[in-house]
Amino acid sequence: MAYLSVASVAAVAHIRRISFKYANSKYGLRPFATVPAYVYHPHVTILEGEKQAMHLTKSVFSTDPLPSTLPPIESLQSVANELEGYIKDCIIQSRVYGYREKIAKRDYHNISLTQNMLRVLSTQAGKYPQLLDRGLTYKPKISVNWKRNQHRIAVTGCPGYLLSTPQPLTPFAHENEVKSTLNIPVQDLSPVSPVIDISEYSVRPDTTYGFHPGSPYPYPHTLFIVDRKTKSRPTSQMLSHGIMYNHAILQAVAINILSMKAGQELDHPLAMNTIMTNGRMFAFIYYQLNTLNLQYDDGVKNLVWIKHTVPLFHKVKKKEGIIRFGQQCWQLWLSTVMNDIDLQDMSEDFRNFQQQYRGKNDQKMKAIA
């Protein structure tokens, strides 16, 4: 057995550092450019929660509880009633039955519940063909950085599922509401540092959200973040998680697709939804990116709508089943995922089927009469 000397080990380590630092390119070896930045990743827990995240992204709360562009519950009531039984079956399947254990563990039932709810909604594609014109990406790679005051902030990681569409989501706020943010101050964290609990590293100044140029579904619609930890995260940490990744994804879209640059304001704001869950409680975030001028506190701010601590159910037992199903949570989930869907645009085949069914039903009623 051959033994390596200390000098040999040091030489091998030096070569590995060089190979990591340099990348093969068309014209030979080229060094990676790195910058020091405070890195936010999925395992970061910040002290001030969503307040700190809103300060780092230069965001303020909207005066409305929810965006006005969400489809009203009344227009989706028939779909909600039709699918409610299937959603209850999804809850029982994910919470009670596991593959290896008698009772499903958190890391299994949280992710399976989100997947099954999306599958149930896809059964409505016959009525709403736009549900098929979407892409679902598992753990998109996100790497975005920006300058905030005197600090450079970087957001990295691969969070959850990203539902994307070929066209951008309709902005949540109109132009007057965007201009009204000029008079709203950003969250003040003093005397706490804005980057407390965020470590500083050297990172590559990339701007990517996991999509290459020419992707058929480049615009984000809804980000699904599932808490798979054994002990559930506090609500404030989940909300900060959603705000930071919402901003990072939309900034990457603005730079890569709209060719925007840091310091500019968006003529056409970008918007996206986020649904977060720990398997029972849900939180909904609606984020609108209005500006990339993040270095200073003045000027237009980005807008956030938050609805959190909404239970999908109270408890699940094998004999009793679901105890206190949360219809409000289910309807809000449906309204969020169906956002920007033309509710009148039913396929021609489904219309013909409806007319035939109604005609047969009318004939039966006449025969009975």
Side-chain angles (χ1 to χ4, degrees), residues 3 5 34 37 73 98 130 136 139 151 162 165 176 186 191 210 235 239 261-262 328 346 350 352:
Y3 293 94
S5 64
T34 60
I73 300 300
Q130 286 179 297
L136 186 64
K139 288 189 175 182
H151 306 112
L162 180 61
T165 55
N176 293 334
V186 182
T235 302
L239 296 178
K261 296 182 179 179
Q328 180 191 4
M346 295 189 293
F350 188 78
N352 295 335

Side-chain angles (χ1 to χ4, degrees), residues 39-42 142-144 154-159 203 245 248:
V39 180
Y40 185 95
H41 54 80
I142 298 171
S143 178
V144 182
V155 177
T156 63
C158 306
V203 298
Y245 279 105

Side-chain angles (χ1 to χ4, degrees), residues 292-313:
L292 296 180
N293 183 16
L294 306 173
Q295 189 162 2
Y296 305 107
D297 290 343
D298 56 350
V300 172
K301 285 85 174 178
N302 301 309
L303 282 168
V304 180
W305 294 256
I306 293 179
K307 180 75 173 178
H308 62 86
T309 320
V310 187
L312 183 61
F313 56 90

Side-chain angles (χ1 to χ4, degrees), residues 97-332:
Y97 302 104
Y99 286 125
R100 297 181 180 179
E101 303 86 2
K102 292 183 179 180
I103 298 178
K105 299 292 183 67
R106 179 187 294 273
D107 60 346
Y108 166 74
H109 68 65
N110 286 6
I111 197 73
S112 66
L113 178 60
T114 298
Q115 292 173 341
N116 291 337
M117 290 178 73
L118 289 171
R119 290 191 187 102
V120 168
L121 181 60
S122 66
T123 61
Q124 299 297 304
K127 296 181 184 179
Y128 311 108
Q130 286 179 297
L131 289 173
L132 298 176
D133 195 21
R134 293 177 168 188
L136 186 64
T137 306
Y138 179 57
K139 288 189 175 182
K141 183 180 179 182
I142 298 171
S143 178
V144 182
N145 68 90
W146 63 87
K147 194 70 178 297
R148 183 75 175 102
N149 294 333
Q150 70 270 26
H151 306 112
R152 180 167 293 278
I153 310 300
V155 177
T156 63
C158 306
Y161 293 86
L162 180 61
L163 189 68
S164 54
T165 55
Q167 300 297 329
L169 202 61
T170 302
F172 300 136
H174 50 75
E175 185 177 358
N176 293 334
E177 187 173 357
V178 173
K179 290 181 179 179
S180 67
T181 61
L182 290 167
N183 304 320
I184 303 177
V186 182
Q187 289 278 356
D188 185 16
L189 300 177
S190 60
V192 178
S193 171
V195 292
I196 189 171
D197 293 333
I198 305 178
S199 301
E200 187 176 16
Y201 300 96
S202 293
V203 298
R204 295 176 61 185
D206 294 338
T207 301
T208 177
Y209 64 112
F211 289 79
H212 299 288
S215 171
Y217 306 106
Y219 293 98
H221 183 281
T222 303
L223 178 65
F224 297 90
I225 298 179
V226 182
D227 186 9
R228 302 177 65 178
K229 290 189 173 183
T230 305
K231 185 178 179 182
S232 182
R233 290 188 178 196
T235 302
S236 62
Q237 297 303 323
M238 291 288 290
L239 296 178
S240 65
H241 207 56
I243 293 171
M244 294 296 286
Y245 279 105
N246 273 3
H247 179 91
I249 292 173
L250 291 178
Q251 179 171 326
V253 172
I255 293 174
N256 294 341
I257 299 180
L258 304 183
S259 301
M260 301 293 295
K261 296 182 179 179
Q264 294 181 334
E265 293 184 3
L266 278 70
D267 296 330
H268 303 284
L270 295 171
M272 68 176 293
N273 315 306
T274 297
I275 299 177
M276 296 168 290
T277 179
N278 63 357
R280 188 179 74 87
M281 305 297 293
F282 279 71
F284 301 86
I285 294 179
Y286 308 92
Y287 193 89
Q288 179 169 311
L289 183 72
N290 301 317
T291 179
L292 296 180
N293 183 16
L294 306 173
Q295 189 162 2
Y296 305 107
D297 290 343
D298 56 350
V300 172
K301 285 85 174 178
N302 301 309
L303 282 168
V304 180
W305 294 256
I306 293 179
K307 180 75 173 178
H308 62 86
T309 320
V310 187
L312 183 61
F313 56 90
H314 177 67
K315 192 178 292 185
V316 178
K317 294 185 177 181
K318 285 189 176 182
K319 293 183 179 180
E320 293 85 352
I322 299 175
I323 299 175
R324 287 190 300 197
F325 177 73
Q327 287 189 346
Q328 180 191 4
C329 180
W330 158 234
Q331 292 173 351
L332 186 56

Side-chain angles (χ1 to χ4, degrees), residues 4-18:
L4 294 176
S5 64
V6 176
S8 300
V9 173
V12 171
H14 182 64
I15 292 172
R16 291 186 65 181
R17 284 196 299 269
I18 292 177

